[in-house]
Short mmCIF file of all heavy atoms in Angstrom, two decimals:
data_model
loop_
_atom_site.label_atom_id
_atom_site.label_comp_id
_atom_site.label_asym_id
_atom_site.label_seq_id
_atom_site.Cartn_x
_atom_site.Cartn_y
_atom_site.Cartn_z
N PHE F 606 96.77 111.86 111.42
CA PHE F 606 95.73 112.83 111.11
C PHE F 606 96.14 113.63 109.88
O PHE F 606 97.33 113.85 109.63
CB PHE F 606 95.53 113.80 112.27
CG PHE F 606 95.08 113.18 113.56
CD1 PHE F 606 95.85 113.29 114.71
CD2 PHE F 606 93.90 112.47 113.62
CE1 PHE F 606 95.44 112.72 115.90
CE2 PHE F 606 93.48 111.90 114.81
CZ PHE F 606 94.23 112.02 115.95
N GLU F 668 102.93 115.07 116.71
CA GLU F 668 103.97 115.82 116.01
C GLU F 668 103.50 116.19 114.59
O GLU F 668 102.94 115.35 113.89
CB GLU F 668 105.26 115.00 115.92
CG GLU F 668 106.41 115.72 115.26
CD GLU F 668 107.73 114.98 115.39
OE1 GLU F 668 107.77 113.93 116.07
OE2 GLU F 668 108.74 115.46 114.83
N PHE F 689 101.58 105.80 138.37
CA PHE F 689 100.45 106.40 139.09
C PHE F 689 99.64 105.33 139.82
O PHE F 689 98.42 105.27 139.72
CB PHE F 689 99.53 107.17 138.13
CG PHE F 689 100.22 108.18 137.27
CD1 PHE F 689 99.79 108.44 135.98
CD2 PHE F 689 101.34 108.89 137.74
CE1 PHE F 689 100.42 109.38 135.18
CE2 PHE F 689 101.96 109.83 136.93
CZ PHE F 689 101.52 110.07 135.65
N ASP F 721 111.53 117.20 133.30
CA ASP F 721 111.86 117.03 134.73
C ASP F 721 110.59 117.08 135.58
O ASP F 721 110.44 116.30 136.54
CB ASP F 721 112.82 118.12 135.18
CG ASP F 721 114.21 117.97 134.58
OD1 ASP F 721 114.51 116.86 134.06
OD2 ASP F 721 114.98 118.93 134.62
N ASP F 736 110.52 104.82 127.79
CA ASP F 736 109.33 104.63 126.96
C ASP F 736 109.00 105.89 126.17
O ASP F 736 108.53 105.82 125.02
CB ASP F 736 108.13 104.21 127.84
CG ASP F 736 108.24 102.80 128.33
OD1 ASP F 736 109.01 102.01 127.74
OD2 ASP F 736 107.55 102.44 129.32
N THR F 838 85.07 111.27 124.36
CA THR F 838 85.90 110.66 123.33
C THR F 838 86.10 109.16 123.57
O THR F 838 86.17 108.39 122.61
CB THR F 838 87.28 111.35 123.26
OG1 THR F 838 87.86 111.40 124.58
CG2 THR F 838 87.16 112.75 122.70
N TYR F 885 90.19 106.30 135.61
CA TYR F 885 91.21 105.28 135.41
C TYR F 885 90.67 103.99 134.83
O TYR F 885 91.22 103.43 133.88
CB TYR F 885 91.92 104.99 136.74
CG TYR F 885 92.97 103.89 136.61
CD1 TYR F 885 94.17 104.12 135.96
CD2 TYR F 885 92.72 102.61 137.11
CE1 TYR F 885 95.11 103.13 135.81
CE2 TYR F 885 93.66 101.60 136.97
CZ TYR F 885 94.86 101.86 136.32
OH TYR F 885 95.78 100.88 136.16
N GLY F 1099 72.93 67.42 128.29
CA GLY F 1099 72.08 66.24 128.08
C GLY F 1099 72.77 65.08 127.42
O GLY F 1099 72.12 64.25 126.77
#
Side-chain angles (χ1 to χ4, degrees):
F606 298 121
E668 183 171 356
F689 308 146
D721 291 344
D736 287 341
T838 52
Y885 177 73

